């Protein structure tokens, strides 16, 4: 670690040892030489031991169970730098990206999270998410460096550690998949800015396509997020729309069933957004419970 490394990269993984080792090789080659924390979500393929052997400078956290996205929360709590960047086991950062993020965070004290530009696939093509984020109808604020958003890709974000902890990190009700929107809401509710900054660039190299069951979980979490943070009429509307889809769509039926199983916990944790943040969420909202504008772009 050098004196310039004021950003810790937090990585979550589960049973993807070889992909993780490739990602750690890429992170180790960055000019910033950031400290790296890996939360191994109860892998059974020898991931933690392989990291300890091949990347001894990496801190490996070994919770006794799969924490899902909450593994990032554990990593952030262990970090000792003012900023944290997030990678998954199939993503990393371009050289200079973390330095660019530090400059933006240094010069904009209200900036809580940067939604980076994403290059995806072997050819490094622009992720369609980039255009959606850049075109956010929320526009810019005078004290923030980019377009304001309420959505981002978890493995392509850099956060102020203080802001992340202030907002509570990722929500336990959601576990994983589509968990980013609730965190964006909570950051905004705490007064932190969430911006798309295209000068900060992440690389995402997903392998194997969409994981089995992931679409249903994303739809489940979109509705649960509405119950956690949106007004009751909005949450009810999202639920009714999912229920209507469930009549003919097996994935929607699964999402609805899982949503109701988690709904009591969501209701106990319910905290509606402040009026200005709710107004911003309404501006972004599109048709259907799983495609709310930029929030639906979160994958």
């Amino acid at each position: 670690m050098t004196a310039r490394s004021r950003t810790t990269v937090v990585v979550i993984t589960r049973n993807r040892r070889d992909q993780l080792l490739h990602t750690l090789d890429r992170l180790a080659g960055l000019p910033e030489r950031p400290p790296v924390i890996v939360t191994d979500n109860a892998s059974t393929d020898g991931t933690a031991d392989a990291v300890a052997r091949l990347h001894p400078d990496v801190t490996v956290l070994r919770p006794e169970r799969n924490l899902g996205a909450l593994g990032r929360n554990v990593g952030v709590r262990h970090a000792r730098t003012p900023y944290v960047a997030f990678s998954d086991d199939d993503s990393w950062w371009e050289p200079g990206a973390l330095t660019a993020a530090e400059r933006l965070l240094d010069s904009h004290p209200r900036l809580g999270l940067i939604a980076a530009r994403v290059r995806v696939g072997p050819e490094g093509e622009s992720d369609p998410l980039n255009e959606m984020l850049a075109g956010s109808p929320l526009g810019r604020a005078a004290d923030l460096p980019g377009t304001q958003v309420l959505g981002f890709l978890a493995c392509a974000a850099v956060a102020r550690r203080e802001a992340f902890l202030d907002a509570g990190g990722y929500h336990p009700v959601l576990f994983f998949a589509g968990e980013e929107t609730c965190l964006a809401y909570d950051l905004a509710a705490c007064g932190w800015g969430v911006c798309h900054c295209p000068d900060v660039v992440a690389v995402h190299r997903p392998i194997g396509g969409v994981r089995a069951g992931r679409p249903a979980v994303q739809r489940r979490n979109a509705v649960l997020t509405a119950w956690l943070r949106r007004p009751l009429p909005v949450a009810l509307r999202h639920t009714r729309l999912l229920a209507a889809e469930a009549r003919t769509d097996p994935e929607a039926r699964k999402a609805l069933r899982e949503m109701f199983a988690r709904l009591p916990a969501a209701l106990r944790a319910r905290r509606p957004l402040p009026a200005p943040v709710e107004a911003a969420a309404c501006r972004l909202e599109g048709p259907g419970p799983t495609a709310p504008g930029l929030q639906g772009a979160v994958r």
Side-chain angles (χ1 to χ4, degrees):
M1 185 177 77
T2 71
R4 295 176 56 202
S5 301
R6 292 181 295 123
T7 303
T8 297
V9 179
V10 173
V11 185
I12 60 171
T13 190
R14 176 174 166 81
N15 286 334
R16 299 211 288 185
R17 179 188 58 201
D18 293 342
Q19 284 178 258
L20 173 65
L21 292 173
H22 177 69
T23 288
L24 294 179
D25 289 342
R26 302 303 292 261
L27 293 175
L30 292 178
E32 295 94 337
R33 298 301 300 270
V36 178
I37 296 174
V38 171
T39 302
D40 177 21
N41 274 325
S43 293
T44 58
D45 65 351
T47 289
D49 291 339
V51 173
R53 184 175 69 256
L54 298 172
H55 288 276
D57 292 337
V58 171
T59 299
V60 183
L61 307 177
R62 309 187 191 197
E64 296 179 355
R65 59 190 176 89
N66 182 7
L67 299 177
L70 271 68
R72 299 189 188 105
N73 297 359
V74 175
V76 172
R77 287 196 293 270
H78 276 77
R80 293 296 176 264
T81 53
Y83 309 134
V84 286
F86 298 97
S87 292
D88 286 348
D89 46 31
D90 58 3
S91 70
W92 52 89
W93 295 91
E94 280 200 345
L98 300 183
T99 299
E102 288 176 1
R103 291 195 193 103
L104 292 170
L105 290 158
D106 286 346
S107 57
H108 299 85
R110 192 168 71 85
L111 180 59
L113 184 140
I114 293 169
R117 179 162 57 92
V118 183
R119 296 196 302 109
V120 66
E123 305 302 321
E125 298 177 357
S126 178
D127 192 304
L129 174 63
N130 297 331
E131 186 175 349
M132 298 182 71
L133 293 172
S136 167
L138 301 183
R140 299 175 70 112
D143 61 343
L144 295 173
T147 304
Q148 297 176 97
V149 295
L150 287 177
F152 61 94
L153 187 62
C155 67
V158 184
R160 190 182 302 273
R161 182 174 181 270
E162 176 191 0
F164 185 95
L165 296 175
D166 189 27
Y170 288 100
H171 203 287
V173 167
L174 304 175
F175 186 68
F176 191 70
E179 69 273 16
E180 298 96 333
T181 297
C182 190
L183 176 56
Y185 285 165
D186 289 347
L187 285 163
C190 291
W192 296 102
V194 182
C195 290
H196 174 54
C197 299
D199 290 341
V200 180
V201 183
V203 179
H204 188 204
R205 297 284 173 85
I207 297 175
V210 178
R211 295 186 187 184
R214 187 179 179 92
V217 176
Q218 288 179 306
R219 295 165 89 172
R220 175 198 81 189
N221 283 346
V223 180
L224 285 171
T225 297
W227 281 105
L228 283 165
R229 297 293 181 257
R230 305 295 302 280
L232 285 174
V234 174
L236 287 168
R237 173 167 53 83
H238 283 216
T239 305
R240 290 178 184 130
L241 287 168
L242 183 59
E245 294 176 4
R247 297 189 189 111
T248 57
D249 183 347
E251 287 283 349
R253 278 197 295 275
K254 181 180 180 183
L256 187 67
R257 184 169 61 250
E258 293 183 357
M259 186 278 295
F260 277 119
R262 292 173 179 260
L263 184 57
L267 292 175
R268 288 193 297 271
R270 179 172 167 77
R271 190 173 72 242
L273 296 171
V277 183
E278 174 57 30
C282 287
R283 290 187 66 187
L284 291 169
E285 187 135 54
T290 59
L294 290 180
Q295 303 151 52
V298 173
R299 298 174 298 166

